[in-house]
Amino acid sequence: MRDYPEAYKNGLANDAAGTPDVRTPAIAVSGLSKRVADASGELTILQNIDFTVQPAETLALVGASGSGKSTLLGLLAGLDTPSEGKVLLDGTDIFALDEDGRAAFRKAKLGFVFQSFQLLAHLNAVENVMLPLELRGDGDARAKAEAMLGRVGLGSRLRHYPKYLSGGEQQRVALARAFVTEPPLLFADEPTGSLDAATGESIIGLMFELNRERGSTLVLVTHDPAMAARCGRTITISAGRLA
């Protein structure tokens, strides 16, 4: 097996697992808090967060830098553990699972788009998109990856390595990788934060277009008012609390 990035080893490679039950919220958060020790004793990052997200809904998490948005997204994905509270994804209490169980759940349910792309430098575009498919044992991984790259406008760049791709092209590869297994849940952490305004607008449009086509639930962290406005709902985090 290839040398996969830690994000995929930890279960961010997704595995299509069907459509969430429409009678069950895609995400249900209750009493979620996160505290960490620091030089002064204890720092509260999130305090008593409650909200639900319905299947196929689009939600933006906004707020000032340091407000706790990315920490909240990490908790939703089970990449971090809370001090108190619950996160139910498609009815499953992810913190009732052990670490291996959460990794398996991520493989089955989640796609993730990172601000810094998280592409493997020694793999070309199509090989990067093949990662989650190969990890789930999909025998048609190359054909599906090539088709998805064509869908995001990179059909002529399949064998280009990340260093030969622009920032916008790298993020298109990252979007293709996140969507290729059609995950029911998609999380994005500042997906245009590393891009110029024009390229970022193109990526925003593509991400929402792909999301509409596949009907996934989208939760994204952003400082971009234009991106937040494209979502059906916005939640503002201020000093670790819902504003």
Side-chain angles (χ1 to χ4, degrees), residues 104-116:
F105 188 90
R106 285 192 292 270
K107 288 180 182 178
K109 297 285 188 178
L110 294 183
F112 211 109
V113 181
F114 301 91
Q115 176 178 342
S116 56

Side-chain angles (χ1 to χ4, degrees), residues 28-145:
V29 177
S30 60
L32 197 67
S33 298
K34 179 66 177 181
R35 295 183 297 274
V36 297
D38 68 1
S40 62
E42 189 173 68
L43 175 66
T44 298
I45 300 175
L46 293 170
Q47 181 65 40
N48 200 29
I49 303 294
D50 297 275
F51 64 89
T52 60
V53 184
Q54 298 305 316
E57 188 175 3
T58 55
L59 173 69
L61 301 176
V62 302
S65 296
S67 60
K69 306 183 301 300
S70 291
T71 298
L72 177 56
L73 196 68
L75 289 170
L76 296 182
L79 296 173
D80 193 4
T81 56
S83 301
E84 288 103 20
K86 289 186 177 183
V87 173
L88 275 66
L89 300 181
D90 192 21
T92 297
D93 182 352
I94 61 171
F95 296 114
L97 305 173
D98 61 17
E99 186 174 345
D100 289 342
R102 290 195 297 274
F105 188 90
R106 285 192 292 270
K107 288 180 182 178
K109 297 285 188 178
L110 294 183
F112 211 109
V113 181
F114 301 91
Q115 176 178 342
S116 56
F117 319 137
Q118 296 287 337
L119 302 180
L120 279 181
H122 65 282
L123 299 182
N124 62 31
V126 71
E127 290 168 341
N128 268 285
V129 178
M130 288 169 63
L131 290 180
L133 297 167
E134 289 186 326
L135 284 172
R136 76 178 189 183
D138 194 318
D140 202 22
R142 181 170 293 275
K144 290 179 179 179

